[in-house]
Amino acid sequence: RRSVESLHPLGSATPSLRGKNDQVIYPSTPTCQPPTIHFRVVGGLAFNLERHMNTEITLPVAEWKHALTGLNKVIGRRSTLPVLQTVRVTRDGQGGVRLSATNLDTFATYLAEPPQAGPAADLLVPAEALHRTLRRLPNDGDLTLLPDADQRIRLRYPIAGSPVEQSHATLPVVEWPPLPPIQQRAHPLPPEFGAAFQQALACASEDSSRIVLNGVCLDVREPNLHYVVGTNASILYAAN
């Protein structure tokens, strides 16, 4: 794969010729300067990049890894539906970037901070390809997603100071399952809720024959007194 800075379209006033090593050669005395069109050259074919060049999404590698730590618990790697083996990456009109995963029973979303400038974008990236790429990248770099033609997506990252790209087949976003509507009223959680939840989960049972004890109970029946409870039938943890 090689990139060409610019090519002039066929029939323009200043035609271009390709010399050795894919160099672009222009006549020494052009009659006029046509507009520049950016291309990516693959296998001798040139593809126009202007349609996709503004929809790329870039995040630090460390943030990608942090987000996937939670999303990997939801991604349906063994699902018969290929779309459940992807991560949905979106950027809204305000620049908010979200990474989402689902197994149809659970929907999880990670919101990246801070917002980044750019137009709205909506991409699906294969989770396994994303995981393999991030596993060998240092945390101090960036990883960029770029949409490509023919239902493909590119992952761009630096190696030894030079950009490297991988191209992977993906799926149309319309195949992503819709988020089910939430009818219940939301309950704001205090900052210390995360620590209490982890402590309750440590007291939960791991016995697969007692599934009801394998998780944490969130009791919000009292408006002003919520409980976090975990038990394995031998010990019980409760916090409010």
Side-chain angles (χ1 to χ4, degrees):
R1 179 181 296 177
R2 294 177 293 273
S3 62
V4 177
E5 289 295 330
S6 63
L7 294 176
H8 293 298
L10 296 176
S12 63
T14 309
S16 62
L17 302 176
R18 184 176 298 281
K20 295 182 178 180
N21 300 323
D22 284 339
Q23 293 179 343
V24 180
I25 304 174
Y26 299 100
S28 56
T29 57
T31 57
C32 65
Q33 183 64 36
T36 298
I37 301 177
H38 296 277
F39 288 84
R40 181 168 58 90
V41 176
V42 179
L45 299 177
F47 296 93
N48 191 344
L49 294 182
E50 290 185 348
R51 183 177 60 178
H52 299 305
M53 62 191 309
N54 291 326
T55 56
E56 63 184 46
I57 297 178
T58 301
L59 290 175
V61 170
E63 188 157 19
W64 283 110
K65 292 180 178 180
H66 180 65
L68 287 182
T69 299
L71 296 181
N72 279 335
K73 302 180 185 300
V74 179
I75 296 172
R77 297 184 183 277
R78 299 180 181 179
S79 172
T80 57
L81 295 177
V83 71
L84 302 184
Q85 301 173 25
T86 66
V87 176
R88 185 176 185 177
V89 183
T90 61
R91 180 173 58 217
D92 58 31
Q94 288 71 45
V97 176
R98 289 174 171 82
L99 284 66
S100 303
T102 181
N103 57 13
L104 294 183
D105 294 324
T106 304
F107 288 77
T109 299
Y110 174 87
L111 177 60
E113 294 290 349
Q116 59 177 242
D122 202 348
L123 312 170
L124 294 183
V125 55
E128 185 61 29
L130 185 59
H131 176 72
R132 288 198 310 266
T133 301
L134 290 171
R135 187 169 51 189
R136 61 175 180 261
L137 293 181
N139 291 341
D140 57 353
D142 292 333
L143 175 67
T144 300
L145 303 183
L146 304 98
D148 211 341
D150 300 325
Q151 293 301 327
R152 301 191 68 84
I153 192 168
R154 288 178 287 144
L155 309 183
R156 178 191 294 164
Y157 50 90
I159 293 184
S162 299
V164 176
E165 287 187 359
Q166 296 180 12
S167 180
H168 299 277
T170 186
L171 297 169
V173 177
V174 294
E175 294 192 19
W176 186 262
L179 182 66
I182 299 175
Q183 306 294 341
Q184 292 79 10
R185 184 173 60 89
H187 297 273
L189 299 174
E192 59 272 14
F193 170 80
F197 186 88
Q198 290 180 338
Q199 293 170 358
L201 192 60
C203 298
S205 174
E206 297 181 358
D207 186 354
S208 59
S209 65
R210 310 186 69 179
I211 298 179
V212 69
L213 302 182
N214 291 170
V216 175
C217 175
L218 304 180
D219 187 348
V220 295
R221 290 174 294 180
E222 295 293 334
N224 299 320
L225 191 60
H226 298 168
Y227 284 91
V228 180
V229 182
T231 182
N232 60 7
S234 296
I235 60 174
L236 183 143
Y237 173 93
N240 57 30

